[in-house]
Amino acid sequence: MSKRAYFGTDGIRGQANRHPMTAEVALRVGMAAGKLFMSKDERRHLVVIGKDTRLSGYMIEPALVAGFTSVGMDVRLFGPLPTPGVAMMTRSLRADLGVMISASHNHFADNGIKLFGPDGYKLSDERELEIEALMDQGLEEGLAAPNGLGRVQRIDDCQARYVEIAKASFPRRLSLAGMRVVIDCANGAAYKVAPEALYELGAEVIRIGVAPDGFNINDECGSTAPAAMQKAVKEYRADIGIALDGDADRLVICDEKGQIVDGDQIMALIADHWARTDRLTGGGVVATVMSNLGLERFLAARRLKLERTKVGDRYVMARMREGGFNLGGEQSGHIILSDLSTTGDGLLAALQVLAVLKESDQPMSALARQFEPAPQKLENVRFSGGKPLENEQVKKAIAEAEARLDGVGRLVIRPSGTEPLIRVMAEGDDEKLVSQVVKEIVGAVKKAAA
């Protein structure tokens, strides 16, 4: 595959107002993607655009709009809406393309552009490369005539539509009446829709992270900083805590004692329930190389398989579509329920957990630990330049660690697709060995990156 100049593992991402997250690049994305997705027929072509609550959204959105309208595409603007909501609305409004402006769980200073095809699925690598090729060509060709420019309209009911779709995923025979739920929206895209959906389903809702100001998205709140949710759960004696990230495509849960439930445990809980009620398809679950060995063993004990992919929810989704699976996700909390959504959806996953909780008539702490995780250690090493993984000493340290873990554990080392980080993860039944190999590799990477 050709080297990608703009797109990473999850769209284009970077610091706002610095390449590649500039107004110029956004304009080029709009023009290039618009041209690629405009078919030759005479009808009006449509792109829908949603965003989270970052200050830089005010810069990126109009630049994209200018690009799309310049090639003759009509634009519908949603304002703040979760990434999965944008994917749903792309299909629902029969748009040719959907765009989400978000850097997900990153700090406010970053932003990103994610693209969805008319089917609501994230674009393939091949499609992204086609857009990149067009972006780097002269964009003067193919511009619309003065009377063929696109029109722009703001859609006011998209949030209400998403709330209704979310509520419809919850079993009709059940209600959340009598349940106290803490929801932390990370001051992000779901700050209105998630509390509303829970309230309308009957819950008593304690809202945190619902006062975005352009700067406070993911700031000591949301799924990457769950301490705020844990504190609120204990303070208000809630039955469960739910923390979403900035664009609400992932979640972390805590039980009534404030204990964290990660994506692997959530997948195990839903998989077990769906398997017992004949809802699980594909004979198992799709997850990434980062998911715990304990999840694999838990599923195997129920004669279910765990299929692993590269890190990135679109790779999980691609395997789910190939194999007919309807449940997949990542340990980090991207949970994909493909009967309900075309991408990870924190709110829909939370509602499935709440349905199991309601039906079981047990506290969340009784359901939170579906399996005993194998000891797993993950460390991130930040680097400023170069390719530390190509260093001979790093390669040697990795080879030695693999030999020591052979047959008793596994090692996953990968560069982050969204930040200048090397992620070093090891797991196995011997906790001491796991810690030791991670420490040695991290040391070698740090030395190479110095």
Side-chain angles (χ1 to χ4, degrees), residues 86-111:
V86 173
M88 287 171 187
M89 292 302 147
T90 304
R91 279 205 303 194
S92 176
L93 294 174
R94 292 177 63 189
D96 298 279
L97 193 61
V99 185
M100 179 65 183
I101 304 166
S102 176
S104 190
H105 58 282
N106 289 25
H107 186 253
F108 92 91
D110 293 340
N111 215 332

PDB file of all heavy atoms in Angstrom, residues 86-111:
ATOM      1  N   VAL A  86     -23.386  10.839  13.149  1.00  0.00           N
ATOM      2  CA  VAL A  86     -23.084  11.328  11.801  1.00  0.00           C
ATOM      3  C   VAL A  86     -23.132  10.157  10.802  1.00  0.00           C
ATOM      4  O   VAL A  86     -23.683  10.285   9.710  1.00  0.00           O
ATOM      5  CB  VAL A  86     -21.706  12.026  11.772  1.00  0.00           C
ATOM      6  CG1 VAL A  86     -21.306  12.400  10.341  1.00  0.00           C
ATOM      7  CG2 VAL A  86     -21.728  13.278  12.652  1.00  0.00           C
ATOM      8  N   ALA A  87     -22.573   9.008  11.202  1.00  0.00           N
ATOM      9  CA  ALA A  87     -22.613   7.823  10.331  1.00  0.00           C
ATOM     10  C   ALA A  87     -24.059   7.410  10.041  1.00  0.00           C
ATOM     11  O   ALA A  87     -24.422   7.124   8.894  1.00  0.00           O
ATOM     12  CB  ALA A  87     -21.855   6.668  10.994  1.00  0.00           C
ATOM     13  N   MET A  88     -24.887   7.416  11.093  1.00  0.00           N
ATOM     14  CA  MET A  88     -26.310   7.056  10.920  1.00  0.00           C
ATOM     15  C   MET A  88     -27.028   8.033   9.998  1.00  0.00           C
ATOM     16  O   MET A  88     -27.797   7.634   9.119  1.00  0.00           O
ATOM     17  CB  MET A  88     -27.027   7.071  12.279  1.00  0.00           C
ATOM     18  CG  MET A  88     -26.691   5.922  13.182  1.00  0.00           C
ATOM     19  SD  MET A  88     -27.419   6.232  14.825  1.00  0.00           S
ATOM     20  CE  MET A  88     -26.715   4.882  15.751  1.00  0.00           C
ATOM     21  N   MET A  89     -26.791   9.337  10.221  1.00  0.00           N
ATOM     22  CA  MET A  89     -27.482  10.369   9.428  1.00  0.00           C
ATOM     23  C   MET A  89     -27.025  10.375   7.969  1.00  0.00           C
ATOM     24  O   MET A  89     -27.784  10.758   7.085  1.00  0.00           O
ATOM     25  CB  MET A  89     -27.256  11.754  10.038  1.00  0.00           C
ATOM     26  CG  MET A  89     -27.922  11.950  11.367  1.00  0.00           C
ATOM     27  SD  MET A  89     -29.706  11.684  11.297  1.00  0.00           S
ATOM     28  CE  MET A  89     -29.974  11.030  12.920  1.00  0.00           C
ATOM     29  N   THR A  90     -25.785   9.945   7.733  1.00  0.00           N
ATOM     30  CA  THR A  90     -25.299   9.855   6.348  1.00  0.00           C
ATOM     31  C   THR A  90     -26.196   8.906   5.563  1.00  0.00           C
ATOM     32  O   THR A  90     -26.636   9.210   4.448  1.00  0.00           O
ATOM     33  CB  THR A  90     -23.832   9.354   6.318  1.00  0.00           C
ATOM     34  OG1 THR A  90     -23.024  10.224   7.123  1.00  0.00           O
ATOM     35  CG2 THR A  90     -23.285   9.330   4.900  1.00  0.00           C
ATOM     36  N   ARG A  91     -26.475   7.765   6.193  1.00  0.00           N
ATOM     37  CA  ARG A  91     -27.372   6.782   5.531  1.00  0.00           C
ATOM     38  C   ARG A  91     -28.805   7.263   5.509  1.00  0.00           C
ATOM     39  O   ARG A  91     -29.502   7.173   4.501  1.00  0.00           O
ATOM     40  CB  ARG A  91     -27.304   5.442   6.277  1.00  0.00           C
ATOM     41  CG  ARG A  91     -26.119   4.609   5.916  1.00  0.00           C
ATOM     42  CD  ARG A  91     -26.345   3.138   6.145  1.00  0.00           C
ATOM     43  NE  ARG A  91     -26.704   2.804   7.512  1.00  0.00           N
ATOM     44  CZ  ARG A  91     -26.678   1.571   7.994  1.00  0.00           C
ATOM     45  NH1 ARG A  91     -26.315   0.564   7.221  1.00  0.00           N
ATOM     46  NH2 ARG A  91     -27.021   1.321   9.227  1.00  0.00           N
ATOM     47  N   SER A  92     -29.260   7.771   6.658  1.00  0.00           N
ATOM     48  CA  SER A  92     -30.661   8.160   6.816  1.00  0.00           C
ATOM     49  C   SER A  92     -31.068   9.248   5.822  1.00  0.00           C
ATOM     50  O   SER A  92     -32.175   9.227   5.276  1.00  0.00           O
ATOM     51  CB  SER A  92     -30.868   8.640   8.252  1.00  0.00           C
ATOM     52  OG  SER A  92     -32.162   9.104   8.449  1.00  0.00           O
ATOM     53  N   LEU A  93     -30.161  10.217   5.577  1.00  0.00           N
ATOM     54  CA  LEU A  93     -30.478  11.320   4.666  1.00  0.00           C
ATOM     55  C   LEU A  93     -30.065  11.018   3.214  1.00  0.00           C
ATOM     56  O   LEU A  93     -30.131  11.884   2.360  1.00  0.00           O
ATOM     57  CB  LEU A  93     -29.790  12.609   5.141  1.00  0.00           C
ATOM     58  CG  LEU A  93     -30.286  13.170   6.471  1.00  0.00           C
ATOM     59  CD1 LEU A  93     -29.435  14.349   6.919  1.00  0.00           C
ATOM     60  CD2 LEU A  93     -31.744  13.591   6.393  1.00  0.00           C
ATOM     61  N   ARG A  94     -29.606   9.778   2.989  1.00  0.00           N
ATOM     62  CA  ARG A  94     -29.160   9.335   1.656  1.00  0.00           C
ATOM     63  C   ARG A  94     -28.087  10.266   1.099  1.00  0.00           C
ATOM     64  O   ARG A  94     -28.084  10.633  -0.069  1.00  0.00           O
ATOM     65  CB  ARG A  94     -30.347   9.226   0.694  1.00  0.00           C
ATOM     66  CG  ARG A  94     -31.305   8.112   1.061  1.00  0.00           C
ATOM     67  CD  ARG A  94     -32.497   8.059   0.164  1.00  0.00           C
ATOM     68  NE  ARG A  94     -32.127   7.761  -1.227  1.00  0.00           N
ATOM     69  CZ  ARG A  94     -32.970   7.833  -2.258  1.00  0.00           C
ATOM     70  NH1 ARG A  94     -34.234   8.188  -2.045  1.00  0.00           N
ATOM     71  NH2 ARG A  94     -32.576   7.556  -3.478  1.00  0.00           N
ATOM     72  N   ALA A  95     -27.166  10.665   1.977  1.00  0.00           N
ATOM     73  CA  ALA A  95     -26.063  11.535   1.569  1.00  0.00           C
ATOM     74  C   ALA A  95     -25.017  10.724   0.814  1.00  0.00           C
ATOM     75  O   ALA A  95     -24.922   9.500   0.966  1.00  0.00           O
ATOM     76  CB  ALA A  95     -25.434  12.191   2.797  1.00  0.00           C
ATOM     77  N   ASP A  96     -24.227  11.414   0.012  1.00  0.00           N
ATOM     78  CA  ASP A  96     -23.148  10.761  -0.731  1.00  0.00           C
ATOM     79  C   ASP A  96     -21.910  10.590   0.133  1.00  0.00           C
ATOM     80  O   ASP A  96     -21.038   9.774  -0.163  1.00  0.00           O
ATOM     81  CB  ASP A  96     -22.785  11.604  -1.965  1.00  0.00           C
ATOM     82  CG  ASP A  96     -23.959  11.736  -2.916  1.00  0.00           C
ATOM     83  OD1 ASP A  96     -24.188  10.793  -3.688  1.00  0.00           O
ATOM     84  OD2 ASP A  96     -24.666  12.765  -2.865  1.00  0.00           O
ATOM     85  N   LEU A  97     -21.841  11.375   1.210  1.00  0.00           N
ATOM     86  CA  LEU A  97     -20.645  11.393   2.041  1.00  0.00           C
ATOM     87  C   LEU A  97     -21.001  11.981   3.398  1.00  0.00           C
ATOM     88  O   LEU A  97     -21.852  12.860   3.495  1.00  0.00           O
ATOM     89  CB  LEU A  97     -19.602  12.285   1.350  1.00  0.00           C
ATOM     90  CG  LEU A  97     -18.146  12.270   1.812  1.00  0.00           C
ATOM     91  CD1 LEU A  97     -17.543  10.884   1.653  1.00  0.00           C
ATOM     92  CD2 LEU A  97     -17.341  13.273   0.992  1.00  0.00           C
ATOM     93  N   GLY A  98     -20.344  11.481   4.460  1.00  0.00           N
ATOM     94  CA  GLY A  98     -20.514  12.046   5.803  1.00  0.00           C
ATOM     95  C   GLY A  98     -19.150  12.460   6.343  1.00  0.00           C
ATOM     96  O   GLY A  98     -18.143  11.794   6.059  1.00  0.00           O
ATOM     97  N   VAL A  99     -19.108  13.539   7.103  1.00  0.00           N
ATOM     98  CA  VAL A  99     -17.845  14.027   7.683  1.00  0.00           C
ATOM     99  C   VAL A  99     -18.043  14.297   9.166  1.00  0.00           C
ATOM    100  O   VAL A  99     -19.027  14.919   9.565  1.00  0.00           O
ATOM    101  CB  VAL A  99     -17.383  15.343   7.005  1.00  0.00           C
ATOM    102  CG1 VAL A  99     -16.013  15.755   7.540  1.00  0.00           C
ATOM    103  CG2 VAL A  99     -17.341  15.209   5.492  1.00  0.00           C
ATOM    104  N   MET A 100     -17.095  13.833   9.978  1.00  0.00           N
ATOM    105  CA  MET A 100     -17.073  14.167  11.406  1.00  0.00           C
ATOM    106  C   MET A 100     -15.791  14.930  11.701  1.00  0.00           C
ATOM    107  O   MET A 100     -14.699  14.474  11.362  1.00  0.00           O
ATOM    108  CB  MET A 100     -17.127  12.898  12.268  1.00  0.00           C
ATOM    109  CG  MET A 100     -17.080  13.169  13.765  1.00  0.00           C
ATOM    110  SD  MET A 100     -18.542  14.074  14.340  1.00  0.00           S
ATOM    111  CE  MET A 100     -18.143  14.307  16.081  1.00  0.00           C
ATOM    112  N   ILE A 101     -15.939  16.096  12.307  1.00  0.00           N
ATOM    113  CA  ILE A 101     -14.780  16.909  12.695  1.00  0.00           C
ATOM    114  C   ILE A 101     -14.527  16.653  14.173  1.00  0.00           C
ATOM    115  O   ILE A 101     -15.275  17.116  15.033  1.00  0.00           O
ATOM    116  CB  ILE A 101     -15.054  18.413  12.450  1.00  0.00           C
ATOM    117  CG1 ILE A 101     -15.450  18.657  10.991  1.00  0.00           C
ATOM    118  CG2 ILE A 101     -13.831  19.243  12.825  1.00  0.00           C
ATOM    119  CD1 ILE A 101     -16.056  20.027  10.735  1.00  0.00           C
ATOM    120  N   SER A 102     -13.491  15.867  14.467  1.00  0.00           N
ATOM    121  CA  SER A 102     -13.210  15.515  15.860  1.00  0.00           C
ATOM    122  C   SER A 102     -11.836  14.868  15.966  1.00  0.00           C
ATOM    123  O   SER A 102     -11.401  14.178  15.052  1.00  0.00           O
ATOM    124  CB  SER A 102     -14.252  14.528  16.390  1.00  0.00           C
ATOM    125  OG  SER A 102     -13.916  14.114  17.703  1.00  0.00           O
ATOM    126  N   ALA A 103     -11.177  15.086  17.105  1.00  0.00           N
ATOM    127  CA  ALA A 103      -9.960  14.327  17.419  1.00  0.00           C
ATOM    128  C   ALA A 103     -10.259  13.374  18.572  1.00  0.00           C
ATOM    129  O   ALA A 103      -9.383  13.058  19.376  1.00  0.00           O
ATOM    130  CB  ALA A 103      -8.809  15.262  17.760  1.00  0.00           C
ATOM    131  N   SER A 104     -11.531  12.954  18.658  1.00  0.00           N
ATOM    132  CA  SER A 104     -11.935  11.883  19.573  1.00  0.00           C
ATOM    133  C   SER A 104     -11.524  12.161  21.021  1.00  0.00           C
ATOM    134  O   SER A 104     -12.007  13.099  21.634  1.00  0.00           O
ATOM    135  CB  SER A 104     -11.346  10.565  19.052  1.00  0.00           C
ATOM    136  OG  SER A 104     -11.866   9.474  19.728  1.00  0.00           O
ATOM    137  N   HIS A 105     -10.591  11.338  21.563  1.00  0.00           N
ATOM    138  CA  HIS A 105     -10.229  11.444  22.984  1.00  0.00           C
ATOM    139  C   HIS A 105      -9.062  12.406  23.215  1.00  0.00           C
ATOM    140  O   HIS A 105      -8.637  12.579  24.350  1.00  0.00           O
ATOM    141  CB  HIS A 105      -9.852  10.058  23.504  1.00  0.00           C
ATOM    142  CG  HIS A 105      -8.724   9.433  22.745  1.00  0.00           C
ATOM    143  ND1 HIS A 105      -8.911   8.848  21.512  1.00  0.00           N
ATOM    144  CD2 HIS A 105      -7.398   9.333  23.009  1.00  0.00           C
ATOM    145  CE1 HIS A 105      -7.750   8.401  21.060  1.00  0.00           C
ATOM    146  NE2 HIS A 105      -6.815   8.694  21.945  1.00  0.00           N
ATOM    147  N   ASN A 106      -8.540  13.033  22.143  1.00  0.00           N
ATOM    148  CA  ASN A 106      -7.382  13.924  22.299  1.00  0.00           C
ATOM    149  C   ASN A 106      -7.751  15.239  22.985  1.00  0.00           C
ATOM    150  O   ASN A 106      -8.910  15.622  23.052  1.00  0.00           O
ATOM    151  CB  ASN A 106      -6.750  14.248  20.938  1.00  0.00           C
ATOM    152  CG  ASN A 106      -6.018  13.062  20.322  1.00  0.00           C
ATOM    153  OD1 ASN A 106      -6.322  11.911  20.620  1.00  0.00           O
ATOM    154  ND2 ASN A 106      -5.073  13.338  19.463  1.00  0.00           N
ATOM    155  N   HIS A 107      -6.724  15.951  23.407  1.00  0.00           N
ATOM    156  CA  HIS A 107      -6.816  17.277  24.018  1.00  0.00           C
ATOM    157  C   HIS A 107      -7.464  18.257  23.033  1.00  0.00           C
ATOM    158  O   HIS A 107      -7.410  18.056  21.823  1.00  0.00           O
ATOM    159  CB  HIS A 107      -5.370  17.699  24.348  1.00  0.00           C
ATOM    160  CG  HIS A 107      -5.251  18.966  25.105  1.00  0.00           C
ATOM    161  ND1 HIS A 107      -4.794  20.136  24.534  1.00  0.00           N
ATOM    162  CD2 HIS A 107      -5.529  19.263  26.407  1.00  0.00           C
ATOM    163  CE1 HIS A 107      -4.779  21.085  25.448  1.00  0.00           C
ATOM    164  NE2 HIS A 107      -5.221  20.597  26.587  1.00  0.00           N
ATOM    165  N   PHE A 108      -8.023  19.370  23.542  1.00  0.00           N
ATOM    166  CA  PHE A 108      -8.756  20.321  22.694  1.00  0.00           C
ATOM    167  C   PHE A 108      -7.908  20.893  21.569  1.00  0.00           C
ATOM    168  O   PHE A 108      -8.420  21.282  20.512  1.00  0.00           O
ATOM    169  CB  PHE A 108      -9.310  21.485  23.546  1.00  0.00           C
ATOM    170  CG  PHE A 108      -8.382  22.677  23.627  1.00  0.00           C
ATOM    171  CD1 PHE A 108      -8.481  23.708  22.709  1.00  0.00           C
ATOM    172  CD2 PHE A 108      -7.376  22.734  24.590  1.00  0.00           C
ATOM    173  CE1 PHE A 108      -7.610  24.798  22.751  1.00  0.00           C
ATOM    174  CE2 PHE A 108      -6.502  23.814  24.645  1.00  0.00           C
ATOM    175  CZ  PHE A 108      -6.622  24.853  23.719  1.00  0.00           C
ATOM    176  N   ALA A 109      -6.576  20.984  21.775  1.00  0.00           N
ATOM    177  CA  ALA A 109      -5.697  21.616  20.781  1.00  0.00           C
ATOM    178  C   ALA A 109      -5.607  20.816  19.487  1.00  0.00           C
ATOM    179  O   ALA A 109      -5.226  21.352  18.448  1.00  0.00           O
ATOM    180  CB  ALA A 109      -4.304  21.809  21.372  1.00  0.00           C
ATOM    181  N   ASP A 110      -5.956  19.530  19.536  1.00  0.00           N
ATOM    182  CA  ASP A 110      -5.955  18.691  18.331  1.00  0.00           C
ATOM    183  C   ASP A 110      -7.334  18.712  17.687  1.00  0.00           C
ATOM    184  O   ASP A 110      -8.331  19.011  18.340  1.00  0.00           O
ATOM    185  CB  ASP A 110      -5.611  17.237  18.688  1.00  0.00           C
ATOM    186  CG  ASP A 110      -4.180  17.085  19.181  1.00  0.00           C
ATOM    187  OD1 ASP A 110      -3.363  17.978  18.895  1.00  0.00           O
ATOM    188  OD2 ASP A 110      -3.885  16.079  19.843  1.00  0.00           O
ATOM    189  N   ASN A 111      -7.361  18.383  16.413  1.00  0.00           N
ATOM    190  CA  ASN A 111      -8.642  18.123  15.765  1.00  0.00           C
ATOM    191  C   ASN A 111      -8.431  17.102  14.655  1.00  0.00           C
ATOM    192  O   ASN A 111      -7.298  16.711  14.363  1.00  0.00           O
ATOM    193  CB  ASN A 111      -9.310  19.392  15.238  1.00  0.00           C
ATOM    194  CG  ASN A 111     -10.828  19.330  15.372  1.00  0.00           C
ATOM    195  OD1 ASN A 111     -11.419  18.247  15.363  1.00  0.00           O
ATOM    196  ND2 ASN A 111     -11.471  20.476  15.531  1.00  0.00           N
TER     197      ASN A 111
END
